[in-house]
Amino acid sequence: MPINATQKITIKLVVAAIGMFVFAVFLMPPLYDVFCEITGIGGKTKGQYEGTVAAVDAEREVKIQFVTTNNGAMPWEFSPVEYQVRVHPGEKTAVEFYARNPTSRDMVAQAIPNVTPDNAAEFFHKTECFCFNKQPLKAGEETKMGLVFIVDPELPASVTTITLSYTLFDVTEATEAEAATTN
Amino acid sequence: MVSRVKQLVVYALSPLLLLSFVGQMAHAEDAHKSGWSLLNMPRGVTSVSNDIYDLHMIVVWICVWISVVVYGVMFYSMFAHRKSKGAKAANFHESTTVELLWTIVPVLILIWVAFPSTKSLIELYDTSEADLDIKITGYQWKWQYEYLGEGVEFMSELTTSEPAIYNQEPKTEFYLSEVNEPLVLPVGKKVRFLITAKDVIHSWWVPDLGVKRDAVPGFINETWARIDEPGIYRGFCAELCGKGHAFMPIVVNALPEAEYDAWLAEKKLAAAAEREMAKKTFTLEQLMAKGEEAYNRSCASCHMANGEGIPGAFPALKGSAIALGPVDKHLDVVINGTSGTAMQAFGGQLSEVDLAAIITYERNAWGNDVGDMVQPLDVLKFKQGQ
Amino acid sequence: MAHGPAKGIGRWLFATNHKDIGTMYLWFSFAMFLLGGSFAMIIRAELFAPGMQLVRPEFFNQMTTMHGLVMVFGAIMPSFVGLANWMIPLQIGAPDMALPRMNNLSFWILPFGFALLASTLFMEGGAPNFGWTFYAPLSTTYAPDTVNFFIFGVHIIGASSIMGSINIIATVLNLRAPGMTMMKLPLFVWTWLITAFLLVAVMPVLAGVVTMMLMDINFGTSFFDAAGGGDPVLFQHIFWFFGHPEVYIIILPAFGVVSAIIPTFSRKPLFGYSSMVYATSAIAFLSFIVWAHHMFTTGMPIAGELYFMYATMLIAVPTGVKVFNWITTMFKGSLSFETPMLFAIAFVILFTFGGFTGLMLAVAPADIQYHDSYFVVGHFHYVMVAGAVFSMTAGIYYWLPKWTGRMYDETMGKVQFWIAFIGFNIAFIPQHFLGLAGMPRRYADYALQFSDWNMVSSIGAFMYGAAQLMFLYNVIHTIVAGKPTSEEKTWEGAEGLEWTLPTPAPFHTFSTPPEVK
């Protein structure tokens, strides 16, 4: 059956509408993530850093601060052992975070990092971080969790203080649900 | 005929009214008046807030002058080109010259505004070389302030009472603008604010400082202020965050540097003193009195002053199994919160004395009458896992 | 097609006639306007004085949310779709819309969608309470259970919009009478054509964002949840990518109506027709690239803030061009001030004022103080109420005689205008002062220094509300007892194909295409 002008344009517009929906749901989030990753905007740091960095810049000192926040009803004690360190770019530095589960049930936490200022995030490399994995703690248990990082010497000269924030989320339920479905 | 005259009068007066309003606004710089004289943004007490005020006034005046011209032409036309006055319609209906003119001139005006705007924004974003860092965390529905590196942190909660809000008691002067612990800051020092949230998005806004920044859970934002004058500056949460959005104000107490240092030293001592207080034994009367005050400040926004909560949203404590049941369970819920609900873990927010008093109060108020008490030491032991 | 309309309820349930469907859209949108207005009355009654007098804060948040949703999606948008349905075929010389049966579906899913949304008021947990902009995680992790009905409702309403827009585009592109070239189209048709493209582009994005919300809430994804690596600010980007074009979707058809009315009562052609078409297109294009000016305090990097500031300031230019063109249309015309013209003139004055506050908001550093305050509430009520709603009111008074064959009472119209005009300004000017003085929006209660202007604003709002009841009375009175008229050209200065038709317009018109010179 020949297709008339109205049907043609209707089909085109329906396709366009569906296309915009697909764009919004399937393309916008990844585009946003990629954009944020490339630019470091939003303070999201990348995953485990496996690259090598040029020599240590002993002339320069950068202040690194650590802050922690418990999300929602998360009851753990969670704090940095040192709230601030001074490092040279290129130098590997290790710091620790104290965590304790004061409740009477076993729990699992996920720490989510975020860095400010924005233009520092892509120059903050974590080689080891407790935030790469979920952290389980039994009832009443306490622990020290480690972070090893290097500040890239390419860090813009205007940045003298970087603040790394960890937000701790209670993922006990989600972890149990996942375990249940994979078993 | 009469309506035409009325129209003419109103249209002719409007630009004058407009100008007089703006004139008044420009003079009403200090918005610490109230009522009818509250017309304009405050100048504020930082260089940023003053920059913003000046920029704001530049744009306001540009808009006023453009309106005078544009509305002027229009009102003139409404008067002079009325059919009832015998006006005959001309026939022109396009002119490329005129279109180009009124496209280009606005662009030039905008470019002219863009320069100071850009400069102000760059200034506003420059958090470098700060003298101190304050972490601000937005909670439903209060703020937590932490002085980085000083070991001082506290919750800042609204102290206006529920009866005052529900018109059962008179309202205080700083109704909905008063907190138990203001954020104390030094004058003349660059303060860097690190802002995040614990649950939903909040926003920290103090107009006099020219500071507003969203508090996003899981993310950290930074901004800054250098306060030029001592004083008390009040602000509000500026992002819808649930039912307590209007009930989590901000109070900044800016002190001259020496007084600030003294305050900070005292605060550190107070932390030690509080730990000492936790070892004391209190009477039931003392716990109930303290408990009522602390409960009304920290718990009543959800569980209500009468302990009846909000059905479907926040459980009642009056007659509840937890308040009437084993103390350990009661301690657990208050100190560790309840996962997956809005019941936060208050163990990290309130002192042992407050916690003990609140729990005692909950067990004995509103006819609960369990008869037992919880001492701060009990709370401390529970927290330590004994 | 020589028979008249069907009899009984079947006429309406199975309507395919653009006039009937237009009428249903208009009545539906007016009912929604009164519903959304009653929510506003509750809000302003509560805010009349400090303290909680009438409702609890949690219910207040439901009122502000539902007021926004119902007004934007239930009142303004469907009302202009109704106007489009009635007028586009008449103005282009077409017998009906291109897809009459889809037209029926587009309308009928609306009452269903809004019934769903409104019913949440009576469910446990209450109606949506997270603002019409429903930011995550307040609208995901912390939402009441009824959020799923909200999402479902938005999908239905969105589908209606998309189908309606497809219909409008197909109609305008394919069904114009011979000789009706694109550059001869009345501006109302142009503005709706452009609006329809905007809708097809961004309504699916709204559908997308609520779908992602649905997945985060029910299916364990983390688009907007930091715990799973997501970002609440991503929600805002996607929402406002829809949200900003949305406000132009609301205003462009209003521009079109005013562009029909002003020339008529100036007895002079619209000044700068091509310029108006280009300006509308420029506004539509620019509307896609300015969204983050709603996000100046989220902590965007400075480059982003600067870009969005510059782009937003730029939109003032084509908008200004339109205002200048309307005024120049009036200039050296032969003006009369019947009710439609009063509303159209008020539109030009007050929408321009709203445009000025919009320019102020565009200045990012200043927006640090304005954002999320009552200054913003004042701004958008000026452009959406004194803008879109006044334009719609003007259009209804303007075309009512053509639709019904009866004249409205001119004195009653003028009285209604003045009550609306005065009430509106009393309601919304003070909100600018409140915002500048430091009062945030979506506040159920406020500090004492804000009392006086809040009281004034509430009084104005009640007056404006009364004006709407009077408008309803005027419309009904016209339909049942208005002076009959059979003048084809109701208004001396009116131009356009609709004014060549009999009054009232017959059920079927332009079954044979007219000649367009």
Side-chain angles (χ1 to χ4, degrees):
Chain A
M1 192 186 106
I3 200 169
N4 72 31
T6 292
Q7 286 165 326
K8 244 197 272 196
I9 199 159
T10 304
I11 291 171
K12 282 193 197 148
L13 291 169
V14 168
V15 168
I18 294 174
M20 285 305 289
F21 179 82
V22 166
F23 173 67
V25 179
F26 296 102
L27 288 174
M28 273 170 130
L31 273 174
Y32 181 80
D33 283 340
V34 165
F35 182 76
C36 292
E37 215 186 286
I38 293 178
T39 59
I41 286 171
K44 273 190 176 161
T45 48
K46 304 192 169 86
Q48 182 156 30
Y49 182 70
E50 270 152 36
T52 46
V53 137
V56 173
D57 180 355
E59 306 281 302
R60 186 178 174 186
E61 205 176 67
V62 184
K63 226 169 36 173
I64 314 289
Q65 297 174 330
F66 304 102
V67 295
T68 57
T69 306
N70 279 348
N71 182 272
M74 186 43 155
W76 288 17
E77 291 168 31
F78 177 49
S79 54
V81 170
E82 295 284 342
Y83 93 95
Q84 185 173 276
V85 293
R86 288 175 201 276
V87 304
H88 298 298
E91 174 181 74
K92 231 185 202 181
T93 309
V95 292
E96 283 187 310
F97 288 76
Y98 171 77
R100 178 168 170 265
N101 173 359
T103 70
S104 51
R105 55 206 157 86
D106 300 343
M107 292 177 68
V108 183
Q110 175 69 57
I112 299 286
N114 197 252
V115 162
T116 188
D118 282 330
N119 56 352
E122 60 179 302
F123 300 102
F124 189 86
H125 306 306
K126 306 192 293 295
T127 56
E128 277 163 52
C129 181
F130 59 91
C131 57
F132 294 153
N133 303 304
K134 294 187 180 161
Q135 297 297 324
L137 273 184
K138 295 207 187 315
E141 207 186 331
E142 65 181 25
T143 184
K144 289 251 178 68
M145 306 182 293
L147 162 70
V148 182
F149 67 91
I150 306 171
V151 175
D152 198 306
E154 300 284 299
L155 179 75
S158 56
V159 180
T160 54
T161 306
I162 298 178
T163 306
L164 172 62
S165 157
Y166 280 109
T167 307
L168 202 64
F169 290 84
D170 178 358
V171 294
T172 314
E173 244 181 76
T175 314
E176 282 164 7
E178 228 181 271
T181 51
T182 50
N183 288 349
Chain B
M1 182 58 216
V2 175
S3 67
R4 298 259 190 280
V5 173
K6 272 199 286 199
Q7 280 161 25
L8 172 65
V9 167
V10 175
Y11 298 152
L13 281 182
S14 319
L16 294 172
L17 277 168
L18 179 65
L19 280 171
S20 80
F21 248 149
V22 178
Q24 273 186 66
M25 270 173 70
H27 290 295
E29 284 175 13
D30 180 16
H32 297 294
K33 311 179 176 180
S34 65
W36 312 113
S37 55
L38 218 63
L39 293 173
N40 202 358
M41 183 190 284
R43 261 200 174 279
V45 293
T46 65
S47 61
V48 167
S49 71
N50 274 272
D51 276 353
I52 290 174
Y53 178 86
D54 290 334
L55 197 53
H56 159 77
M57 289 312 292
I58 289 174
V59 183
V60 165
W61 280 114
I62 289 176
C63 293
V64 167
W65 286 114
I66 296 178
S67 338
V68 166
V69 171
V70 169
Y71 293 153
V73 170
M74 193 174 172
F75 295 149
Y76 169 75
S77 192
M78 281 157 63
F79 174 70
H81 302 142
R82 286 172 289 157
K83 181 179 177 201
S84 61
K85 275 284 170 160
K88 287 275 181 287
N91 211 17
F92 58 84
H93 63 92
E94 64 185 357
S95 160
T96 314
T97 315
V98 139
E99 300 284 357
L100 279 173
L101 215 69
W102 61 42
T103 305
I104 293 172
V105 170
V107 171
L108 295 174
I109 296 177
L110 290 174
I111 292 176
W112 189 64
V113 172
F115 281 103
S117 308
T118 304
K119 183 161 177 288
S120 285
L121 196 66
I122 292 174
E123 180 68 18
L124 203 143
Y125 263 71
D126 179 11
T127 50
S128 62
E129 314 282 319
D131 295 310
L132 67 153
D133 304 282
I134 308 279
K135 177 176 180 253
I136 299 174
T137 310
Y139 283 46
Q140 282 178 320
W141 288 283
K142 53 205 166 190
W143 296 96
Q144 187 216 33
Y145 300 121
E146 188 185 327
Y147 291 71
L148 243 52
E150 305 286 359
V152 174
E153 65 172 273
F154 51 84
M155 305 301 301
S156 184
E157 302 183 70
L158 178 72
T159 49
T160 302
S161 69
E162 200 182 287
I165 294 172
Y166 287 93
N167 307 303
Q168 291 151 358
E169 263 175 32
K171 297 175 169 52
T172 51
E173 185 189 354
F174 294 109
Y175 177 75
L176 295 193
S177 279
E178 51 199 356
V179 298
N180 59 340
E181 289 261 25
L183 176 64
V184 179
L185 293 176
V187 167
K189 293 274 183 216
K190 186 165 179 176
V191 183
R192 181 162 157 262
F193 300 112
L194 294 161
I195 302 177
T196 184
K198 189 189 195 4
D199 32 50
V200 297
I201 302 179
H202 300 266
S203 191
W204 200 79
W205 181 28
V206 182
D208 280 313
L209 303 188
V211 172
K212 180 187 288 146
R213 194 53 61 97
D214 287 0
V216 183
F219 290 78
I220 189 119
N221 273 335
E222 66 178 55
T223 187
W224 69 278
R226 180 187 279 108
I227 304 174
D228 294 332
E229 276 166 48
I232 297 182
Y233 307 110
R234 298 172 200 269
F236 298 103
C237 175
E239 186 60 62
L240 179 64
C241 53
K243 73 182 190 74
H245 176 46
F247 303 98
M248 47 183 290
I250 295 152
V251 179
V252 173
N253 186 5
L255 296 174
E257 204 188 328
E259 284 174 48
Y260 168 78
D261 290 336
W263 172 87
L264 191 62
E266 201 203 297
K267 232 14 203 170
K268 290 180 181 172
L269 287 176
E274 209 177 85
R275 284 192 287 278
E276 280 305 306
M277 278 281 268
K279 298 179 184 153
K280 252 192 77 180
T281 304
F282 294 86
T283 66
L284 184 59
E285 288 71 37
Q286 287 171 321
L287 287 170
M288 288 299 281
K290 179 101 184 112
E292 185 178 4
E293 181 215 317
Y295 175 89
N296 283 333
R297 184 198 66 224
S298 301
C299 319
S301 63
C302 296
H303 292 293
M304 310 315 291
N306 60 10
E308 287 172 18
I310 296 176
F314 306 109
L317 301 181
K318 174 176 170 175
S320 83
I322 293 177
L324 299 175
V327 167
D328 272 2
K329 177 79 180 122
H330 196 166
L331 280 160
D332 188 33
V333 171
V334 173
I335 291 171
N336 295 319
T338 304
S339 198
T341 71
M343 179 59 193
Q344 300 162 5
F346 285 85
Q349 299 180 27
L350 301 173
S351 67
E352 274 80 49
V353 174
D354 273 349
L355 290 165
I358 286 171
I359 293 172
T360 303
Y361 178 74
E362 287 170 356
R363 297 177 77 74
N364 293 293
W366 320 301
N368 277 356
D369 293 336
V370 177
D372 60 4
M373 319 182 250
V374 174
Q375 295 293 341
L377 211 52
D378 300 325
V379 173
L380 190 60
K381 285 189 185 147
F382 186 90
K383 276 184 172 185
Q384 290 168 344
Q386 295 150 27
Chain C
M1 288 201 282
H3 56 272
K7 299 267 183 286
I9 194 144
R11 169 178 175 182
W12 304 102
L13 281 176
F14 306 116
T16 52
N17 180 283
H18 73 101
K19 301 183 182 74
D20 276 358
I21 293 176
T23 300
M24 288 196 288
Y25 265 108
L26 288 168
W27 279 116
F28 171 78
S29 67
F30 198 73
M32 290 292 103
F33 185 59
L34 293 176
L35 180 67
S38 60
F39 297 153
M41 293 301 102
I42 294 174
I43 293 169
R44 288 310 327 168
E46 179 56 64
L47 293 178
F48 184 83
M52 300 303 296
Q53 284 76 252
L54 300 170
V55 298
R56 307 200 76 97
E58 45 275 23
F59 185 72
F60 184 89
N61 289 348
Q62 293 173 38
M63 287 294 95
T64 50
T65 304
M66 294 297 276
H67 169 70
L69 289 169
V70 166
M71 286 308 206
V72 169
F73 294 111
I76 298 201
M77 289 171 77
S79 69
F80 279 100
V81 174
L83 215 53
N85 262 288
W86 248 107
M87 302 314 300
I88 291 181
L90 298 186
Q91 291 187 334
I92 65 176
D96 207 299
M97 299 290 286
L99 297 147
R101 278 170 289 204
M102 186 170 83
N103 209 8
N104 175 293
L105 183 67
S106 305
F107 173 73
W108 277 110
I109 60 182
L110 277 184
F112 179 68
F114 278 95
L116 194 60
L117 192 61
S119 69
T120 58
L121 279 163
F122 305 104
M123 296 179 186
E124 196 181 307
N129 57 4
F130 29 69
W132 89 272
T133 54
F134 57 100
Y135 283 4
L138 185 63
S139 62
T140 52
T141 317
Y142 294 83
D145 289 335
T146 50
V147 67
N148 291 310
F149 292 103
F150 160 79
I151 293 172
F152 194 30
V154 168
H155 270 300
I156 292 173
I157 292 159
S160 163
S161 268
I162 295 171
M163 289 191 287
S165 305
I166 292 177
N167 222 334
I168 287 169
I169 293 171
T171 306
V172 175
L173 294 184
N174 294 339
L175 299 192
R176 284 163 290 131
M180 174 64 77
T181 58
M182 294 300 286
M183 291 311 264
K184 285 209 192 110
L185 285 174
L187 215 63
F188 178 68
V189 180
W190 259 116
T191 54
W192 244 121
L193 178 66
I194 293 171
T195 303
F197 275 110
L198 284 179
L199 274 163
V200 170
V202 300
M203 243 18 221
V205 176
L206 179 68
V209 83
V210 298
T211 305
M212 288 189 268
M213 254 175 88
L214 189 77
M215 304 212 310
D216 267 16
I217 293 168
N218 300 299
F219 302 116
T221 55
S222 301
F223 288 104
F224 312 127
D225 181 4
D231 185 351
V233 175
L234 173 66
F235 176 91
Q236 294 183 33
H237 280 291
I238 303 181
F239 177 82
W240 285 115
F241 189 79
F242 148 78
H244 197 79
E246 165 68 12
V247 310
Y248 290 101
I249 285 166
I250 287 174
I251 203 63
L252 291 187
F255 287 165
V257 171
V258 164
S259 302
I261 293 177
I262 290 186
T264 296
F265 296 96
S266 306
R267 294 164 182 75
K268 198 157 146 281
L270 181 69
F271 186 85
Y273 175 88
S274 356
S275 198
M276 293 294 257
V277 174
Y278 298 137
T280 309
S281 314
I283 292 172
F285 168 72
L286 284 171
S287 75
F288 278 104
I289 57 174
V290 296
W291 75 89
H293 64 233
H294 299 272
M295 297 166 58
F296 279 148
T297 61
T298 53
M300 260 197 293
I302 195 171
E305 300 247 329
L306 287 171
Y307 162 71
F308 282 108
M309 171 168 76
Y310 301 146
T312 306
M313 286 164 80
L314 214 55
I315 287 204
V317 177
T319 314
V321 164
K322 296 182 83 77
V323 172
F324 301 142
N325 276 288
W326 288 317
I327 295 177
T328 312
T329 304
M330 289 168 69
F331 196 77
K332 293 221 172 116
S334 177
L335 304 173
S336 61
F337 301 97
E338 288 85 333
T339 305
M341 184 60 160
L342 289 177
F343 275 102
I345 290 175
F347 171 98
V348 175
I349 297 172
L350 301 175
F351 173 81
T352 302
F353 183 84
F356 284 135
T357 55
L359 181 62
M360 290 167 72
L361 289 161
V363 177
D367 188 54
I368 297 300
Q369 299 280 44
Y370 310 136
H371 174 74
D372 245 291
S373 77
Y374 256 87
F375 191 81
V376 178
V377 181
H379 160 73
F380 65 68
H381 282 94
Y382 264 80
V383 290
M384 286 210 282
V385 179
V389 174
F390 272 33
S391 164
M392 169 57 54
T393 312
I396 290 173
Y397 278 112
Y398 184 61
W399 281 305
L400 200 56
K402 176 60 64 178
W403 298 339
T404 60
R406 291 184 185 263
M407 264 313 283
Y408 64 87
D409 182 304
E410 188 56 53
T411 309
M412 298 285 273
K414 287 195 162 83
V415 169
Q416 195 257 318
F417 166 75
W418 284 109
I419 300 177
F421 180 83
I422 293 170
F424 170 82
N425 280 293
I426 294 177
F428 291 106
I429 284 270
Q431 296 192 357
H432 297 91
F433 303 144
L434 288 170
L436 291 177
M439 181 177 171
R441 64 185 284 200
R442 296 170 167 162
Y443 260 37
D445 194 3
Y446 47 80
L448 300 180
Q449 67 265 27
F450 302 125
S451 306
D452 293 335
W453 288 124
N454 264 294
M455 182 168 63
V456 172
S457 175
S458 291
I459 292 171
F462 300 146
M463 191 174 167
Y464 184 72
Q468 302 327 299
L469 295 177
M470 189 176 173
F471 179 58
L472 178 65
Y473 173 83
N474 279 359
V475 170
I476 294 178
H477 183 266
T478 306
I479 293 171
V480 308
K483 181 154 167 270
T485 170
S486 53
E487 284 283 349
E488 281 171 4
K489 214 175 180 197
T490 310
W491 313 105
E492 181 188 22
E495 297 294 333
L497 285 175
E498 73 264 38
W499 305 109
T500 63
L501 292 167
T503 298
F507 193 64
H508 292 298
T509 44
F510 296 131
S511 310
T512 335
E515 258 197 60
V516 179
K517 282 143 217 142

